[in-house]
Amino acid sequence: MQTGLATIFVYLNDLPEDVGETHFPKLQLSVTPRAGVAVLFPNVDEAGLPDVMTVHEARPVPRPHVKWGLNIFIADRTQQAAAFVSTQVKVSKRAKV
């Protein structure tokens, strides 16, 4: 799945330590959700290939906690055009069914 050149993830609520962090294993970094805090990271390296250093995961959020966040994907025009074409193909295929 193409997500763009970079991602900004904005946390919309607070969670306790060790709950719902965004974890970057190769960087040995975990970010605890705090309302209004944003994390910016590249999705591709200088060659335009997926950046393995920023592979990340969301740590579990046990009940009764809830994690709210907002993904913002930064793309160039080429990626935007490809996403638009992909969306149009999916819509037209559904219309024919």
Side-chain angles (χ1 to χ4, degrees), residues 2 6-8 11-12 16 23 25 37 40 43-45 57 59 61-62 65 78 82 86 91:
Q2 184 73 287
T7 297
I8 302 171
Y11 300 98
L12 301 178
H23 180 65
V37 169
L40 166 65
N43 295 318
V44 295
D45 62 17
E57 65 183 359
R59 292 283 173 89
V61 180
H65 302 291
T78 304
S86 174
V91 169

Side-chain angles (χ1 to χ4, degrees), residues 13-82:
N13 66 314
D14 295 338
L15 285 174
E17 294 290 327
D18 299 322
V19 173
E21 301 99 342
T22 302
H23 180 65
F24 296 84
K26 293 212 180 243
L27 299 174
Q28 298 181 352
L29 172 71
S30 289
V31 181
T32 300
R34 296 286 180 253
V37 169
V39 179
L40 166 65
F41 53 91
N43 295 318
V44 295
D45 62 17
E46 291 176 6
L49 300 172
D51 191 341
V52 297
M53 294 303 294
T54 58
V55 170
H56 58 284
E57 65 183 359
R59 292 283 173 89
V61 180
R63 291 182 184 197
H65 302 291
V66 176
K67 179 179 177 180
W68 290 92
L70 171 69
N71 277 308
I72 302 167
F73 300 118
I74 300 169
D76 66 14
R77 290 187 184 269
T78 304
Q79 291 172 321
Q80 291 172 345

